[in-house]
Amino acid sequence: MEVFSMVIQSNMSPKAIVEVWKETATIFTKFNIPLTDKTLESFIDSNILHNLLTKLNVAVGSSTATCVEGG
């Protein structure tokens, strides 16, 4: 049996993220980010984006330790 682990990434939209992980909605609210179809990287400053992605992934129990930057 394969287990798939997905990490929230900057090329995902807030709307899609909340559809999969409902618990992330409060984090978007805290960061004052609208639930749009735009990718996070397209409208969020890179300094804020890194912090946001960290908080989102901690909330859903994902780890970037198994992921390679950019891919």
Side-chain angles (χ1 to χ4, degrees), residues 20-41:
V20 176
W21 298 282
K22 306 278 188 241
E23 64 272 27
T24 61
T26 57
I27 296 170
F28 286 114
T29 300
K30 185 183 262 187
F31 276 79
N32 205 23
I33 296 171
L35 300 181
T36 70
D37 287 319
K38 293 180 179 179
T39 63
L40 295 171
E41 63 193 0

Side-chain angles (χ1 to χ4, degrees), residues 6-17 21 28 36-44 49 52-53 56-57 70-71:
M6 188 170 193
V7 175
I8 297 171
Q9 299 176 347
S10 61
N11 63 347
M12 298 174 172
S13 72
K15 184 177 177 182
I17 293 168
W21 298 282
F28 286 114
T36 70
D37 287 319
K38 293 180 179 179
T39 63
L40 295 171
E41 63 193 0
S42 71
F43 71 100
I44 298 177
L49 182 58
L52 173 64
L53 289 172
L56 291 170
N57 281 300

